[in-house]
Amino acid sequence: MLRIAVPNKGTLSEPAWDLLAEAGYQLRMNPRQLTVRDTNNNIELFYLRPLDIAVYVGSGTIDIGITGRDLLLNSGTAAIEHFPLEFGNSTFRFAAPEKSDITKLEDINGKRVASSFDKLVGDYLTQHGVEAQIIHLDGAVESSVDLGVADLIADVVSTGTTLRNAGLRIFGDPILTSEAVLIRSTRLDENNKELEIFERRIRGVITAHKYVLMDYDIPASKVAQAVEITPGLESPTISPLHNKQWVAVRSMVPRKQVNDVMDQLYMVGARGILVTALQASRM
């Protein structure tokens, strides 16, 4: 039975739960439930703190887990990133006071850097030949400079509003671009059959989120032009209609391009253009 760790709270939790539910796995019925044994799918889910998931997977007590790339790298464990899950994107940046003379990476030498991700930041600075004191804080990192605990910070940045409100400005290149990832234990064979089934299901859901199914009718004389617009993953399905001068085409189209593709198809003569959402897939 595959042992899987999922976040019990935080920004990654609900997208992770939704992903598993759409892949056909049984979730917990109440928030106090810490484990779920899904015998139909031969898995056991463990709801753990996001910060601890990489530790459990790295130790081999859990086979695989869903966590952030940042949390994995900061854990210092032997857990392996298996593949990205395409949600929970975040960017780590350095930020210093507006009027500070810290404007580039080299200026961090000898300074105090506050962060919740001390190993991640420390490794980055070491790789770039910068020596600094890392101050570990569990939260409210942006207040550390004003309170005199640190000279600058390294933290997750989305819009940058929180940093600006704290009188801080971003500088330098991103430390890391993170997202939710599936991680696995070094004790688990990469070709494990149960892992392969789980991976196919998860990848199928991710693909279904990225694509839609598009159906349309097109004059037979315009098929070549239409296929250039909707090539599909392998090749579109083309079926004859009662009217021999027309055919029906079905193809997978990237969700983000749907309206642009519909406009292009209409311009070349397609009619009856329909779009259907995908619930799951196997590629």
Side-chain angles (χ1 to χ4, degrees):
M1 180 169 281
L2 203 62
R3 295 160 66 87
I4 305 170
V6 295
N8 65 346
K9 59 182 179 180
T11 57
L12 299 182
S13 59
E14 288 195 19
W17 303 343
D18 291 343
L19 183 64
L20 291 170
E22 290 182 54
Y25 295 108
Q26 179 183 336
L27 304 182
R28 64 183 180 182
M29 301 301 293
N30 65 74
R32 293 186 179 182
Q33 195 173 355
L34 300 179
T35 62
V36 174
R37 196 175 180 86
D38 184 352
T39 55
N40 290 333
N41 291 301
N42 206 32
I43 69 163
E44 188 170 12
L45 293 180
F46 295 83
Y47 289 80
L48 303 173
R49 290 178 64 224
L51 287 168
D52 297 333
I53 289 176
V55 176
Y56 282 104
V57 175
S59 69
T61 56
I62 298 290
D63 297 314
I64 59 177
I66 295 175
T67 189
R69 181 178 293 122
D70 51 350
L71 297 174
L72 169 62
L73 294 176
N74 198 61
S75 71
T77 68
I80 301 168
E81 179 176 327
H82 195 57
F83 67 89
L85 299 175
E86 303 188 21
F87 68 85
N89 296 331
S90 62
T91 304
F92 279 77
R93 305 292 299 266
F94 288 113
E98 287 283 359
K99 298 180 180 180
S100 169
D101 58 357
I102 305 172
T103 59
K104 56 186 182 298
L105 188 61
E106 293 79 4
D107 296 335
I108 300 176
N109 266 305
K111 298 296 193 297
R112 299 168 300 165
V113 185
S115 180
S116 300
F117 294 79
D118 42 324
K119 184 182 187 306
L120 175 63
V121 175
D123 288 347
Y124 180 86
L125 292 175
T126 299
Q127 290 168 10
H128 290 80
V130 176
E131 294 185 8
Q133 180 185 0
I134 309 299
I135 309 296
H136 176 80
L137 296 174
D138 286 325
V141 175
E142 63 276 0
S143 301
S144 62
V145 176
D146 189 47
L147 293 172
V149 174
D151 302 305
L152 68 150
I153 71 167
D155 202 11
V156 176
V157 176
S158 51
T159 63
T161 302
T162 302
L163 296 181
R164 287 192 294 273
N165 290 340
L168 301 173
R169 56 168 168 72
I170 297 167
F171 71 93
D173 295 328
I175 302 167
L176 174 73
T177 300
S178 183
E179 65 179 306
V181 293
L182 185 74
I183 64 174
R184 64 178 174 85
S185 167
T186 55
R187 300 182 184 182
L188 183 67
D189 188 338
E190 190 175 2
N191 298 315
N192 178 280
K193 183 178 179 181
E194 292 174 339
L195 175 61
E196 289 180 354
I197 293 173
F198 182 84
E199 180 176 345
R200 278 198 302 272
R201 285 197 182 191
I202 297 301
R203 287 190 184 277
V205 173
I206 293 172
T207 300
H209 288 172
K210 293 168 64 177
Y211 289 88
V212 295
L213 196 62
M214 185 172 289
D215 291 275
Y216 58 89
D217 296 339
I218 188 87
S221 60
K222 302 287 187 178
V223 167
Q225 290 175 262
V227 169
E228 285 186 11
I229 299 169
T230 58
L233 295 185
E234 303 294 341
S235 179
T237 299
I238 301 176
S239 305
L241 295 177
H242 181 70
N243 183 340
K244 303 300 182 183
Q245 295 182 346
W246 286 71
V247 296
V249 179
R250 167 170 285 186
S251 182
M252 288 179 67
V253 173
R255 184 181 294 270
K256 292 181 179 180
Q257 300 174 16
V258 165
N259 286 296
D260 183 52
V261 168
M262 292 176 76
D263 291 339
Q264 291 183 57
L265 287 173
Y266 194 90
M267 292 295 290
V268 300
R271 297 295 182 266
I273 307 170
L274 304 175
V275 175
T276 307
L278 298 174
Q279 184 172 355
S281 66
R282 294 291 185 278
M283 297 299 159

